[in-house]
PDB file of all heavy atoms in Angstrom:
ATOM      1  N   VAL A  92     -82.875 -58.084 -30.900  1.00  0.00           N
ATOM      2  CA  VAL A  92     -82.763 -58.990 -32.049  1.00  0.00           C
ATOM      3  C   VAL A  92     -83.187 -58.259 -33.307  1.00  0.00           C
ATOM      4  O   VAL A  92     -84.035 -57.363 -33.273  1.00  0.00           O
ATOM      5  CB  VAL A  92     -83.613 -60.275 -31.871  1.00  0.00           C
ATOM      6  CG1 VAL A  92     -83.084 -61.116 -30.727  1.00  0.00           C
ATOM      7  CG2 VAL A  92     -85.072 -59.966 -31.677  1.00  0.00           C
ATOM      8  N   VAL A  93     -82.565 -58.652 -34.407  1.00  0.00           N
ATOM      9  CA  VAL A  93     -82.923 -58.144 -35.730  1.00  0.00           C
ATOM     10  C   VAL A  93     -83.090 -59.351 -36.651  1.00  0.00           C
ATOM     11  O   VAL A  93     -82.597 -60.441 -36.366  1.00  0.00           O
ATOM     12  CB  VAL A  93     -81.853 -57.177 -36.306  1.00  0.00           C
ATOM     13  CG1 VAL A  93     -81.669 -55.970 -35.409  1.00  0.00           C
ATOM     14  CG2 VAL A  93     -80.538 -57.888 -36.541  1.00  0.00           C
ATOM     15  N   GLU A  94     -83.772 -59.126 -37.738  1.00  0.00           N
ATOM     16  CA  GLU A  94     -83.963 -60.189 -38.720  1.00  0.00           C
ATOM     17  C   GLU A  94     -82.630 -60.492 -39.400  1.00  0.00           C
ATOM     18  O   GLU A  94     -81.909 -59.587 -39.803  1.00  0.00           O
ATOM     19  CB  GLU A  94     -85.009 -59.756 -39.741  1.00  0.00           C
ATOM     20  CG  GLU A  94     -85.615 -60.880 -40.496  1.00  0.00           C
ATOM     21  CD  GLU A  94     -86.866 -60.455 -41.251  1.00  0.00           C
ATOM     22  OE1 GLU A  94     -87.099 -59.236 -41.408  1.00  0.00           O
ATOM     23  OE2 GLU A  94     -87.586 -61.343 -41.684  1.00  0.00           O
ATOM     24  N   ALA A  95     -82.307 -61.776 -39.536  1.00  0.00           N
ATOM     25  CA  ALA A  95     -81.021 -62.194 -40.085  1.00  0.00           C
ATOM     26  C   ALA A  95     -81.189 -62.694 -41.509  1.00  0.00           C
ATOM     27  O   ALA A  95     -81.157 -63.884 -41.764  1.00  0.00           O
ATOM     28  CB  ALA A  95     -80.414 -63.279 -39.209  1.00  0.00           C
ATOM     29  N   LYS A  96     -81.365 -61.770 -42.446  1.00  0.00           N
ATOM     30  CA  LYS A  96     -81.525 -62.168 -43.850  1.00  0.00           C
ATOM     31  C   LYS A  96     -80.215 -62.083 -44.610  1.00  0.00           C
ATOM     32  O   LYS A  96     -79.840 -62.997 -45.309  1.00  0.00           O
ATOM     33  CB  LYS A  96     -82.580 -61.286 -44.527  1.00  0.00           C
ATOM     34  CG  LYS A  96     -83.992 -61.647 -44.149  1.00  0.00           C
ATOM     35  CD  LYS A  96     -84.972 -60.896 -44.994  1.00  0.00           C
ATOM     36  CE  LYS A  96     -86.379 -61.364 -44.716  1.00  0.00           C
ATOM     37  NZ  LYS A  96     -87.360 -60.679 -45.520  1.00  0.00           N
ATOM     38  N   ASP A  97     -79.535 -60.967 -44.497  1.00  0.00           N
ATOM     39  CA  ASP A  97     -78.303 -60.710 -45.249  1.00  0.00           C
ATOM     40  C   ASP A  97     -77.191 -60.471 -44.231  1.00  0.00           C
ATOM     41  O   ASP A  97     -77.241 -59.511 -43.473  1.00  0.00           O
ATOM     42  CB  ASP A  97     -78.516 -59.495 -46.143  1.00  0.00           C
ATOM     43  CG  ASP A  97     -77.274 -59.101 -46.925  1.00  0.00           C
ATOM     44  OD1 ASP A  97     -76.192 -59.650 -46.666  1.00  0.00           O
ATOM     45  OD2 ASP A  97     -77.394 -58.227 -47.797  1.00  0.00           O
ATOM     46  N   GLY A  98     -76.187 -61.356 -44.196  1.00  0.00           N
ATOM     47  CA  GLY A  98     -75.121 -61.287 -43.206  1.00  0.00           C
ATOM     48  C   GLY A  98     -74.515 -59.912 -42.993  1.00  0.00           C
ATOM     49  O   GLY A  98     -74.558 -59.375 -41.891  1.00  0.00           O
ATOM     50  N   PRO A  99     -73.936 -59.276 -44.036  1.00  0.00           N
ATOM     51  CA  PRO A  99     -73.316 -57.967 -43.843  1.00  0.00           C
ATOM     52  C   PRO A  99     -74.310 -56.881 -43.416  1.00  0.00           C
ATOM     53  O   PRO A  99     -74.008 -56.066 -42.549  1.00  0.00           O
ATOM     54  CB  PRO A  99     -72.713 -57.647 -45.211  1.00  0.00           C
ATOM     55  CG  PRO A  99     -72.461 -58.989 -45.824  1.00  0.00           C
ATOM     56  CD  PRO A  99     -73.606 -59.846 -45.349  1.00  0.00           C
ATOM     57  N   LYS A 100     -75.500 -56.854 -43.999  1.00  0.00           N
ATOM     58  CA  LYS A 100     -76.496 -55.840 -43.622  1.00  0.00           C
ATOM     59  C   LYS A 100     -77.014 -56.092 -42.210  1.00  0.00           C
ATOM     60  O   LYS A 100     -77.286 -55.148 -41.468  1.00  0.00           O
ATOM     61  CB  LYS A 100     -77.645 -55.820 -44.619  1.00  0.00           C
ATOM     62  CG  LYS A 100     -77.254 -55.201 -45.944  1.00  0.00           C
ATOM     63  CD  LYS A 100     -78.417 -55.106 -46.891  1.00  0.00           C
ATOM     64  CE  LYS A 100     -77.956 -54.490 -48.208  1.00  0.00           C
ATOM     65  NZ  LYS A 100     -79.004 -54.394 -49.191  1.00  0.00           N
ATOM     66  N   THR A 101     -77.154 -57.353 -41.837  1.00  0.00           N
ATOM     67  CA  THR A 101     -77.584 -57.697 -40.477  1.00  0.00           C
ATOM     68  C   THR A 101     -76.550 -57.215 -39.473  1.00  0.00           C
ATOM     69  O   THR A 101     -76.896 -56.604 -38.457  1.00  0.00           O
ATOM     70  CB  THR A 101     -77.786 -59.220 -40.338  1.00  0.00           C
ATOM     71  OG1 THR A 101     -78.809 -59.626 -41.249  1.00  0.00           O
ATOM     72  CG2 THR A 101     -78.178 -59.601 -38.936  1.00  0.00           C
ATOM     73  N   GLU A 102     -75.272 -57.480 -39.763  1.00  0.00           N
ATOM     74  CA  GLU A 102     -74.193 -57.045 -38.868  1.00  0.00           C
ATOM     75  C   GLU A 102     -74.153 -55.529 -38.750  1.00  0.00           C
ATOM     76  O   GLU A 102     -73.959 -54.981 -37.662  1.00  0.00           O
ATOM     77  CB  GLU A 102     -72.851 -57.575 -39.386  1.00  0.00           C
ATOM     78  CG  GLU A 102     -71.702 -57.353 -38.440  1.00  0.00           C
ATOM     79  CD  GLU A 102     -71.690 -58.321 -37.268  1.00  0.00           C
ATOM     80  OE1 GLU A 102     -72.401 -59.345 -37.315  1.00  0.00           O
ATOM     81  OE2 GLU A 102     -70.966 -58.041 -36.306  1.00  0.00           O
ATOM     82  N   GLU A 103     -74.366 -54.831 -39.845  1.00  0.00           N
ATOM     83  CA  GLU A 103     -74.391 -53.364 -39.814  1.00  0.00           C
ATOM     84  C   GLU A 103     -75.549 -52.870 -38.953  1.00  0.00           C
ATOM     85  O   GLU A 103     -75.389 -51.941 -38.159  1.00  0.00           O
ATOM     86  CB  GLU A 103     -74.503 -52.797 -41.229  1.00  0.00           C
ATOM     87  CG  GLU A 103     -74.480 -51.280 -41.264  1.00  0.00           C
ATOM     88  CD  GLU A 103     -74.569 -50.710 -42.669  1.00  0.00           C
ATOM     89  OE1 GLU A 103     -74.761 -51.473 -43.645  1.00  0.00           O
ATOM     90  OE2 GLU A 103     -74.452 -49.475 -42.793  1.00  0.00           O
ATOM     91  N   ALA A 104     -76.721 -53.480 -39.089  1.00  0.00           N
ATOM     92  CA  ALA A 104     -77.883 -53.086 -38.281  1.00  0.00           C
ATOM     93  C   ALA A 104     -77.607 -53.318 -36.797  1.00  0.00           C
ATOM     94  O   ALA A 104     -77.928 -52.471 -35.957  1.00  0.00           O
ATOM     95  CB  ALA A 104     -79.126 -53.852 -38.717  1.00  0.00           C
ATOM     96  N   ILE A 105     -76.998 -54.447 -36.469  1.00  0.00           N
ATOM     97  CA  ILE A 105     -76.670 -54.752 -35.074  1.00  0.00           C
ATOM     98  C   ILE A 105     -75.690 -53.716 -34.527  1.00  0.00           C
ATOM     99  O   ILE A 105     -75.861 -53.206 -33.416  1.00  0.00           O
ATOM    100  CB  ILE A 105     -76.109 -56.188 -34.955  1.00  0.00           C
ATOM    101  CG1 ILE A 105     -77.216 -57.209 -35.208  1.00  0.00           C
ATOM    102  CG2 ILE A 105     -75.474 -56.417 -33.588  1.00  0.00           C
ATOM    103  CD1 ILE A 105     -76.728 -58.632 -35.367  1.00  0.00           C
ATOM    104  N   ASP A 106     -74.661 -53.383 -35.303  1.00  0.00           N
ATOM    105  CA  ASP A 106     -73.684 -52.378 -34.874  1.00  0.00           C
ATOM    106  C   ASP A 106     -74.330 -51.009 -34.701  1.00  0.00           C
ATOM    107  O   ASP A 106     -74.032 -50.286 -33.740  1.00  0.00           O
ATOM    108  CB  ASP A 106     -72.521 -52.294 -35.864  1.00  0.00           C
ATOM    109  CG  ASP A 106     -71.612 -53.511 -35.816  1.00  0.00           C
ATOM    110  OD1 ASP A 106     -71.681 -54.289 -34.836  1.00  0.00           O
ATOM    111  OD2 ASP A 106     -70.833 -53.698 -36.774  1.00  0.00           O
ATOM    112  N   ASP A 107     -75.225 -50.633 -35.619  1.00  0.00           N
ATOM    113  CA  ASP A 107     -75.903 -49.333 -35.523  1.00  0.00           C
ATOM    114  C   ASP A 107     -76.795 -49.259 -34.283  1.00  0.00           C
ATOM    115  O   ASP A 107     -76.800 -48.254 -33.571  1.00  0.00           O
ATOM    116  CB  ASP A 107     -76.733 -49.058 -36.776  1.00  0.00           C
ATOM    117  CG  ASP A 107     -75.869 -48.769 -38.005  1.00  0.00           C
ATOM    118  OD1 ASP A 107     -74.654 -48.514 -37.840  1.00  0.00           O
ATOM    119  OD2 ASP A 107     -76.424 -48.812 -39.125  1.00  0.00           O
ATOM    120  N   PHE A 108     -77.568 -50.313 -34.018  1.00  0.00           N
ATOM    121  CA  PHE A 108     -78.408 -50.333 -32.814  1.00  0.00           C
ATOM    122  C   PHE A 108     -77.554 -50.284 -31.554  1.00  0.00           C
ATOM    123  O   PHE A 108     -77.877 -49.564 -30.605  1.00  0.00           O
ATOM    124  CB  PHE A 108     -79.304 -51.582 -32.784  1.00  0.00           C
ATOM    125  CG  PHE A 108     -80.556 -51.466 -33.601  1.00  0.00           C
ATOM    126  CD1 PHE A 108     -80.891 -52.457 -34.517  1.00  0.00           C
ATOM    127  CD2 PHE A 108     -81.426 -50.390 -33.465  1.00  0.00           C
ATOM    128  CE1 PHE A 108     -82.046 -52.373 -35.278  1.00  0.00           C
ATOM    129  CE2 PHE A 108     -82.585 -50.294 -34.222  1.00  0.00           C
ATOM    130  CZ  PHE A 108     -82.903 -51.284 -35.129  1.00  0.00           C
ATOM    131  N   THR A 109     -76.453 -51.033 -31.539  1.00  0.00           N
ATOM    132  CA  THR A 109     -75.560 -51.034 -30.373  1.00  0.00           C
ATOM    133  C   THR A 109     -75.051 -49.625 -30.100  1.00  0.00           C
ATOM    134  O   THR A 109     -75.109 -49.136 -28.965  1.00  0.00           O
ATOM    135  CB  THR A 109     -74.373 -52.006 -30.604  1.00  0.00           C
ATOM    136  OG1 THR A 109     -74.885 -53.322 -30.830  1.00  0.00           O
ATOM    137  CG2 THR A 109     -73.432 -52.018 -29.417  1.00  0.00           C
ATOM    138  N   LYS A 110     -74.570 -48.969 -31.131  1.00  0.00           N
ATOM    139  CA  LYS A 110     -74.047 -47.593 -30.996  1.00  0.00           C
ATOM    140  C   LYS A 110     -75.122 -46.642 -30.477  1.00  0.00           C
ATOM    141  O   LYS A 110     -74.888 -45.862 -29.544  1.00  0.00           O
ATOM    142  CB  LYS A 110     -73.519 -47.107 -32.346  1.00  0.00           C
ATOM    143  CG  LYS A 110     -72.989 -45.689 -32.341  1.00  0.00           C
ATOM    144  CD  LYS A 110     -72.490 -45.300 -33.726  1.00  0.00           C
ATOM    145  CE  LYS A 110     -71.909 -43.912 -33.707  1.00  0.00           C
ATOM    146  NZ  LYS A 110     -72.734 -42.937 -34.360  1.00  0.00           N
ATOM    147  N   SER A 111     -76.318 -46.708 -31.041  1.00  0.00           N
ATOM    148  CA  SER A 111     -77.391 -45.794 -30.647  1.00  0.00           C
ATOM    149  C   SER A 111     -77.848 -46.045 -29.214  1.00  0.00           C
ATOM    150  O   SER A 111     -78.123 -45.095 -28.468  1.00  0.00           O
ATOM    151  CB  SER A 111     -78.580 -45.923 -31.599  1.00  0.00           C
ATOM    152  OG  SER A 111     -78.217 -45.502 -32.889  1.00  0.00           O
ATOM    153  N   ILE A 112     -77.939 -47.303 -28.805  1.00  0.00           N
ATOM    154  CA  ILE A 112     -78.332 -47.616 -27.424  1.00  0.00           C
ATOM    155  C   ILE A 112     -77.298 -47.083 -26.450  1.00  0.00           C
ATOM    156  O   ILE A 112     -77.642 -46.425 -25.462  1.00  0.00           O
ATOM    157  CB  ILE A 112     -78.525 -49.143 -27.247  1.00  0.00           C
ATOM    158  CG1 ILE A 112     -79.789 -49.606 -27.983  1.00  0.00           C
ATOM    159  CG2 ILE A 112     -78.606 -49.511 -25.757  1.00  0.00           C
ATOM    160  CD1 ILE A 112     -79.922 -51.110 -28.109  1.00  0.00           C
ATOM    161  N   ILE A 113     -76.026 -47.334 -26.716  1.00  0.00           N
ATOM    162  CA  ILE A 113     -74.964 -46.857 -25.824  1.00  0.00           C
ATOM    163  C   ILE A 113     -74.966 -45.339 -25.745  1.00  0.00           C
ATOM    164  O   ILE A 113     -74.868 -44.759 -24.659  1.00  0.00           O
ATOM    165  CB  ILE A 113     -73.592 -47.406 -26.275  1.00  0.00           C
ATOM    166  CG1 ILE A 113     -73.551 -48.914 -26.037  1.00  0.00           C
ATOM    167  CG2 ILE A 113     -72.454 -46.701 -25.545  1.00  0.00           C
ATOM    168  CD1 ILE A 113     -72.349 -49.602 -26.666  1.00  0.00           C
ATOM    169  N   GLU A 114     -75.098 -44.659 -26.876  1.00  0.00           N
ATOM    170  CA  GLU A 114     -75.137 -43.194 -26.862  1.00  0.00           C
ATOM    171  C   GLU A 114     -76.319 -42.681 -26.052  1.00  0.00           C
ATOM    172  O   GLU A 114     -76.197 -41.715 -25.300  1.00  0.00           O
ATOM    173  CB  GLU A 114     -75.192 -42.649 -28.288  1.00  0.00           C
ATOM    174  CG  GLU A 114     -73.880 -42.774 -29.029  1.00  0.00           C
ATOM    175  CD  GLU A 114     -73.965 -42.336 -30.490  1.00  0.00           C
ATOM    176  OE1 GLU A 114     -75.077 -42.124 -31.019  1.00  0.00           O
ATOM    177  OE2 GLU A 114     -72.887 -42.225 -31.110  1.00  0.00           O
ATOM    178  N   GLN A 115     -77.469 -43.312 -26.201  1.00  0.00           N
ATOM    179  CA  GLN A 115     -78.674 -42.852 -25.502  1.00  0.00           C
ATOM    180  C   GLN A 115     -78.527 -43.037 -23.988  1.00  0.00           C
ATOM    181  O   GLN A 115     -78.891 -42.149 -23.221  1.00  0.00           O
ATOM    182  CB  GLN A 115     -79.902 -43.607 -26.033  1.00  0.00           C
ATOM    183  CG  GLN A 115     -81.219 -43.032 -25.624  1.00  0.00           C
ATOM    184  CD  GLN A 115     -81.522 -41.688 -26.250  1.00  0.00           C
ATOM    185  OE1 GLN A 115     -80.760 -41.112 -27.017  1.00  0.00           O
ATOM    186  NE2 GLN A 115     -82.661 -41.140 -25.889  1.00  0.00           N
TER     187      GLN A 115
END
Side-chain angles (χ1 to χ4, degrees):
V92 294
V93 300
E94 199 166 15
K96 284 189 174 181
D97 177 351
K100 287 184 181 178
T101 299
E102 188 77 15
E103 182 179 6
I105 290 169
D106 289 344
D107 289 346
F108 278 129
T109 301
K110 178 180 182 252
S111 295
I112 289 168
I113 291 170
E114 287 175 349
Q115 193 69 0

